[in-house]
Amino acid sequence: MAAATEMTNGLAGWLRAQEQKDLLRFVTIGSVDDGKSTLIGRLLHDAHGLYEDQLHAVRRASVRGSTRGEGSTSEIDFSLFTDGLQAEREQGITIDVAYRYFTTARRKFIIADTPGHVQYTRNMATGASTADAALILVDARLGVLPQTRRHAQIAALLGISHVVACVNKMDLVDFDRAVFDSIVRDLRAIGEKLGLRSLHAIPVSALAGDNVVSKSERTPWWAGTTLLEHLETLPVENGARAGAFRLPVQLVLRPGIGYRGFAGQIVSGSVKPGDEVVVLPSGKSSRVTSVDVAGKPVDVAFAPMSIALRLADEIDISRGDVLVHADAPLAVASDVEADLVWMSERPLDRAKSYLLKHTTRTVRAEVASIVYGTDAETLEPVAKSTLVLNDIARVQVRCRAPIFFDAYAAQRATGAFILIDSVTNDTVAAGMITKALEGAERGTSRTLVGDEERRARLGQSGAVLRVLASSLAGAFELGYALERALFDGGRIATVVDEARDARDAAEACARGGLLAIVAGVDADGANGEAVELNGQTLRASSREELVQRVLAAVR
């Protein structure tokens, strides 16, 4: 009995010690095949952050997947500790974000192992969005690559406090200090251009374990710490807890008569009974009478706790509203400037409106303009007319209703948003608000289906074909003959009557992918029949030949 009590007390003490440790979230970033998964596997293995069954399973998988032949059975493929998807193991690359937890005597860690392939940059941005630190890996043989720059820029945009540059595969360059120093210079130049808060470099070999957990004898010139030692000593900033109070309302709780609580997760700051709070967008204020956690009142609550607030006054509050302290209001605007990471394979359609989800509030919004994009090679601003997969740009966003926010640099949770395609429900972009825009011109409502989508659905590009003849009747005759020929050729076309002043309608049809045929009288009827298409006038000796020329021109 005494032994059981002692064991219980020991376990309780161990759990209390774990609770008191601070937590560091970090993400691995960099180009494909730089060794991110292998580094994390080595870190988990050497820091004793694995269970025995995990270790045995990876050893068996390493033997099955080995191409080294005899003698490889004792070797471990460290990347398999995080690359768990079958497609990842077959292709030898990371595809999805893998999260791993481990603890040391000094700190708890949550690792996000993200893909390096350019195709999965959106996955990398997702994994980095909650990180306190980033490990950016660089292959010592290849140096800094375009994807390294892109990932570093995303880390800077996301406001990651600490960047640790791991120059990996140093064993393949004979631990040459000159190689390490050259890569560090390139990385520091990138860091200065991007405004990274801090950058610390370490020479490592993830496969061999040099300078990961244990100090390497093969780098006598390196006087710095190992990777694990550095991660254990990084300062963890709890800006969310120290910031101004923000509670986006997720749900109104009415479990019974007399109880009305406004539930949500505190994204920054703290709240306690007696605090004066303001409700946005109504601007009405009230006093907090109770702060409830899991159905029980508490003296104080802080980020990132999930709570329910009860107020002294009956105020109309619903999902999407935000509760703040009266002395620390949020900015309110319908037009904002933001940094945008485009995450969709379908390009931005500026003629289309999207759903903008910000905290618990969702509004319709359009990308009103692209201020500038960023060149992946030079990181310099470049002109952009649209955005495609993995593009990063500064944009102006116009919302149909006001949103309440902090600048992303001041508070992540209230400064971030996503754009959603309301037709496909795909998340197409992630944004970080930089500032409100004052006095922006209000545009008209936009379509929910963009021109690119229409053209893709129809499988053709639109155009306006203005057919001309010596008489309007002759022009219509040619127009209908052309419509028949286009339709028989697999194209969708329609004749628009110019006599009803429908030129604008025809151009709208063309933007959506239709071939709009407009009949009109040729000012010089002596030239016979003609078709105006894309600024060119097509003529022929016969109608049949003219139709064939048009068919060839629109394909």
Side-chain angles (χ1 to χ4, degrees):
M1 185 69 179
T5 303
E6 184 178 350
M7 182 180 297
T8 301
N9 292 337
L11 179 60
W14 182 85
L15 291 174
R16 283 194 298 271
Q18 295 303 307
E19 290 177 354
Q20 293 171 359
K21 292 180 184 178
D22 58 17
L23 173 68
L24 178 74
R25 299 173 181 266
F26 68 90
V27 60
T28 59
I29 61 177
S31 188
V32 67
D33 287 334
D34 281 344
K36 295 180 293 298
S37 298
T38 300
L39 178 69
I40 296 308
R42 169 61 77 174
L43 182 62
L44 291 170
H45 179 271
D46 290 4
H48 307 292
L50 297 166
Y51 294 109
E52 284 298 320
D53 59 338
Q54 292 176 312
L55 192 56
H56 291 323
V58 167
R59 279 177 175 158
R60 289 195 299 270
S62 300
V63 171
R64 288 195 301 268
S66 175
T67 58
R68 300 183 185 94
E70 294 297 326
S72 64
T73 56
S74 62
E75 296 185 21
I76 298 176
D77 184 347
F78 293 100
S79 68
L80 298 184
F81 288 118
T82 55
D83 286 346
L85 297 178
Q86 181 177 353
E88 293 177 321
R89 297 191 176 190
E90 289 174 350
Q91 299 179 49
I93 62 172
T94 301
I95 295 175
D96 203 358
V97 181
Y99 293 94
R100 291 292 181 269
Y101 169 88
F102 77 103
T103 182
T104 66
R106 303 181 64 177
R107 174 170 280 175
K108 295 179 291 187
F109 299 92
I110 294 178
I111 312 167
D113 182 31
T114 67
H117 197 285
V118 65
Q119 181 180 352
Y120 305 112
T121 298
R122 51 193 166 187
N123 299 36
M124 172 266 155
T126 301
S129 61
T130 58
D132 304 305
L135 305 188
I136 183 166
L137 270 75
V138 180
D139 189 326
R141 301 167 302 170
L142 304 177
V144 176
L145 300 174
Q147 186 71 340
T148 313
R149 297 186 185 91
R150 183 182 283 109
H151 282 191
Q153 184 181 17
I154 293 174
L157 290 177
L158 291 173
I160 294 178
S161 301
H162 308 285
V163 175
V164 183
C166 295
V167 182
N168 191 25
K169 305 184 183 181
M170 287 295 295
D171 52 320
L172 300 182
V173 294
D174 296 326
F175 293 92
D176 190 335
R177 181 174 185 175
V179 172
F180 173 76
D181 290 343
S182 175
I183 292 174
V184 171
R185 283 194 297 271
D186 292 341
L187 288 170
R188 293 198 183 283
I190 293 172
E192 291 175 4
K193 184 170 290 188
L194 295 175
L196 291 174
R197 298 184 189 180
S198 69
L199 179 65
H200 180 80
I202 301 174
V204 303
S205 169
L207 188 63
D210 296 87
N211 293 329
V212 178
V213 172
S214 302
K215 181 77 173 176
S216 174
E217 297 180 355
R218 297 193 285 183
T219 54
W221 45 268
W222 175 247
T225 61
T226 65
L227 174 60
L228 181 60
E229 289 171 340
H230 185 71
L231 292 174
E232 286 183 320
T233 56
L234 280 177
V236 178
E237 301 173 4
N238 200 338
R241 184 179 296 189
F245 171 63
R246 273 80 172 104
L247 177 69
V249 176
Q250 185 172 9
L251 184 67
V252 180
L253 300 178
R254 297 295 299 269
I257 297 174
Y259 189 99
R260 188 164 180 251
F262 306 104
Q265 183 183 43
I266 304 175
V267 297
S268 69
S270 61
V271 65
K272 61 184 184 299
D275 285 355
E276 291 291 326
V277 294
V278 173
V279 182
L280 296 174
S282 68
K284 294 181 179 179
S285 61
S286 185
R287 179 176 54 84
V288 177
T289 59
S290 179
V291 181
D292 300 338
V293 177
K296 297 180 181 180
V298 297
D299 294 333
V300 64
F302 44 80
M305 295 172 65
S306 294
I307 65 169
L309 284 188
R310 286 186 279 169
L311 304 180
D313 303 287
E314 289 289 334
I315 300 176
D316 184 14
I317 302 174
S318 59
R319 177 181 171 86
D321 293 351
V322 184
L323 297 173
V324 301
H325 281 153
D327 59 352
L330 285 162
V332 181
S334 297
D335 298 87
V336 297
E337 186 175 82
D339 292 314
L340 204 66
V341 180
W342 195 255
M343 304 168 71
S344 174
E345 294 179 2
R346 179 170 290 171
L348 164 68
D349 189 344
R350 288 182 49 206
K352 175 180 175 178
S353 71
Y354 296 89
L355 294 177
L356 183 147
K357 188 177 187 306
H358 172 258
T359 63
T360 58
R361 187 175 178 83
T362 301
V363 300
R364 283 218 163 267
E366 300 95 29
V367 177
S369 65
I370 301 173
V371 181
Y372 59 82
T374 304
D375 186 280
E377 286 284 351
T378 64
L379 301 178
E380 295 294 335
V382 293
K384 286 276 188 181
S385 59
T386 189
L387 300 177
V388 298
L389 181 63
N390 299 328
D391 273 351
I392 300 171
R394 176 69 57 86
V395 301
Q396 294 181 348
V397 179
R398 180 165 299 152
C399 304
R400 304 280 181 84
I403 57 174
F404 324 105
F405 61 91
D406 296 294
Y408 184 85
Q411 179 50 250
R412 284 188 185 185
T414 52
F417 64 87
I418 58 173
L419 292 181
I420 302 169
D421 187 317
S422 59
V423 176
T424 64
N425 209 35
D426 291 337
T427 298
V428 298
M432 288 72 69
I433 299 172
T434 58
K435 65 179 181 180
L437 295 175
E438 301 295 337
E441 295 182 4
R442 305 303 301 167
T444 57
S445 296
R446 299 194 186 189
T447 176
L448 304 186
V449 182
D451 295 336
E452 289 291 340
E453 290 177 292
R454 298 181 203 272
R455 289 192 284 267
R457 176 66 59 83
L458 293 172
Q460 65 180 39
S461 296
V464 176
L465 292 76
R466 189 166 185 262
V467 295
L468 304 173
S470 57
S471 67
L472 189 58
F476 271 108
E477 186 179 347
L478 170 60
Y480 290 125
L482 188 57
E483 180 186 39
R484 181 75 252 180
L486 287 166
F487 186 82
D488 291 342
R491 299 288 178 171
I492 301 175
T494 186
V495 177
V496 181
D497 188 351
E498 192 178 43
R500 291 198 293 267
D501 195 22
R503 186 63 181 266
D504 289 343
E507 291 178 349
C509 289
R511 288 194 297 272
L514 287 173
L515 297 170
I517 303 170
V518 180
V521 178
D522 193 351
D524 187 358
N527 289 327
E529 295 178 334
V531 176
E532 293 180 354
L533 173 62
N534 297 330
Q536 293 184 326
T537 301
L538 305 178
R539 297 184 184 276
S541 58
S542 67
R543 176 175 294 179
E544 291 74 15
E545 183 183 349
L546 178 59
V547 169
Q548 292 303 314
R549 290 196 63 189
V550 173
L551 290 176
V554 298
R555 286 176 180 166

